[in-house]
Amino acid sequence: LYADEDAKLTRGKAAALLLYEKYISDDAQLCINISYRTRSTISKMMRNVRVWMNTEIDAVQLAELFDDCMLEMYQLISGSKASFNHLHCISLHPATSKETQQQIETQIAVNEISTTLTPRLFSPGAQRGGVSPRIFS
């Protein structure tokens, strides 16, 4: 039983490392826009592969590892979404087809629905029973 859990954690750590290298490391190919504090906290844990793979971490901590990144990205995109929503007050160019106008209005409605649901998913403590994601500092 414990060997299976250890294998799952090892695979999870490897997957987290791939995400770190692709999106968070200083030379990441698709570097995301997150705060220096968040980037440096994760980098301190993961910059040395051998140390990271031998770090004692449980499944909950591993699952919550990138929560701050997701929250920061959500907050950034929320501002852009608010700007986009303002556009629906402006009339579209007269040459815009009715079909395109309907697609835009549908997308705005979908975005408004998802915005009302998403903050609950990413609010601090919502998924982790109040456990701080900065447990590694």
Side-chain angles (χ1 to χ4, degrees), residues 15 40 45 49 51 67 79 99 111 118 127 131:
S40 63
M45 288 185 288
V49 176
V51 171
D67 281 2
E99 181 181 337
N111 288 344
T118 307
Q127 296 291 324
V131 176

Side-chain angles (χ1 to χ4, degrees), residues 6 8-21 24 41-66 133 135-136:
D6 287 343
K8 287 179 183 178
L9 281 175
T10 300
R11 285 193 307 271
K13 286 182 190 179
L17 185 62
L18 292 173
L19 289 170
Y20 165 75
E21 290 172 347
I24 299 171
T41 299
I42 294 174
S43 291
K44 285 176 188 173
M45 288 185 288
M46 302 181 94
R47 81 172 43 115
N48 184 320
V49 176
R50 197 170 310 138
V51 171
W52 166 247
M53 293 305 289
N54 290 309
T55 299
E56 290 294 323
I57 187 171
D58 65 31
V60 173
Q61 292 169 322
L62 187 59
E64 296 172 349
L65 185 62
F66 299 112
I135 54 178
F136 303 105

